[in-house]
Amino acid sequence: MPRELFPDGNAILNTAQQVSVAFATALTTTFLSAGVSAYLIHRSRTAAVTNGVRCGFVFTVV
């Protein structure tokens, strides 16, 4: 990349990072909600939230 285009490349990279983090946050929240919903049918609310957090965490780590 030519030196005069470095600022444009930096702006594109920063935008791509922000979009990917927003997407990952949305997916993590989706997994958290799905984990809570799946567990809430048969168990207490505390156990359901714990399972949801576990699902979100596993998605984030893996």
Side-chain angles (χ1 to χ4, degrees):
M1 176 181 289
R3 192 157 183 77
E4 62 272 2
L5 293 179
F6 279 3
D8 295 332
N10 187 30
I12 291 170
L13 180 63
N14 286 339
T15 302
Q17 286 176 333
Q18 290 177 358
V19 168
S20 65
V21 167
F23 184 70
T25 301
L27 278 177
T28 300
T29 304
T30 301
F31 280 107
L32 190 144
S33 297
V36 169
S37 296
Y39 234 61
L40 196 55
I41 296 171
H42 303 290
R43 296 191 173 70
S44 70
R45 185 174 177 84
T46 305
V49 171
T50 302
N51 185 61
V53 170
R54 185 187 59 81
C55 289
F57 182 74
V58 167
F59 167 75
T60 303
V61 171
V62 175

